Amino acid sequence: MKKTILLTLTLFLGTFIYAQAQDEAFVQDAYKLTKLSSGAVEANMSQIYTMIPEDNVEAFKKELQPIMDDFYMKLA
């Protein structure tokens, strides 16, 4: 009886870990896809860049990058 329960728990745990690894791979692929399709977002951002003084645009882009990466991850 103990062997049956142990075997069942082991198979369940193995299946759970395998499914979780597949989910993480899917999320990473979806993240890559959203990054590749971000051309429309960049086109919209170029309109915003015109409203910022030219000497501050690069600093704005650096500050915006982590926010956009987080957005893409949530979108994925």
Side-chain angles (χ1 to χ4, degrees):
M1 180 71 172
K2 284 184 180 181
K3 289 181 182 180
T4 305
I5 293 173
L6 184 60
L7 180 62
T8 304
L9 288 175
T10 303
L11 289 174
F12 177 74
L13 182 61
T15 304
F16 178 74
I17 291 172
Y18 179 72
Q20 188 176 15
Q22 283 182 329
D23 287 343
E24 289 176 16
F26 177 77
V27 168
Q28 289 301 320
D29 288 343
Y31 175 76
K32 289 176 188 176
L33 180 63
T34 56
K35 289 285 283 186
L36 288 174
S37 64
S38 65
V41 174
E42 276 297 318
N44 290 333
M45 293 304 292
S46 66
Q47 295 174 355
I48 293 173
Y49 296 154
T50 60
M51 295 183 240
I52 300 172
E54 287 186 30
D55 55 333
N56 292 335
V57 171
E58 289 303 316
F60 178 76
K61 286 182 180 180
K62 284 182 183 178
E63 202 171 308
L64 183 65
Q65 189 61 41
I67 296 168
M68 293 306 294
D69 287 340
D70 185 46
F71 170 72
Y72 292 137
M73 186 57 84
K74 287 180 181 178
L75 191 61

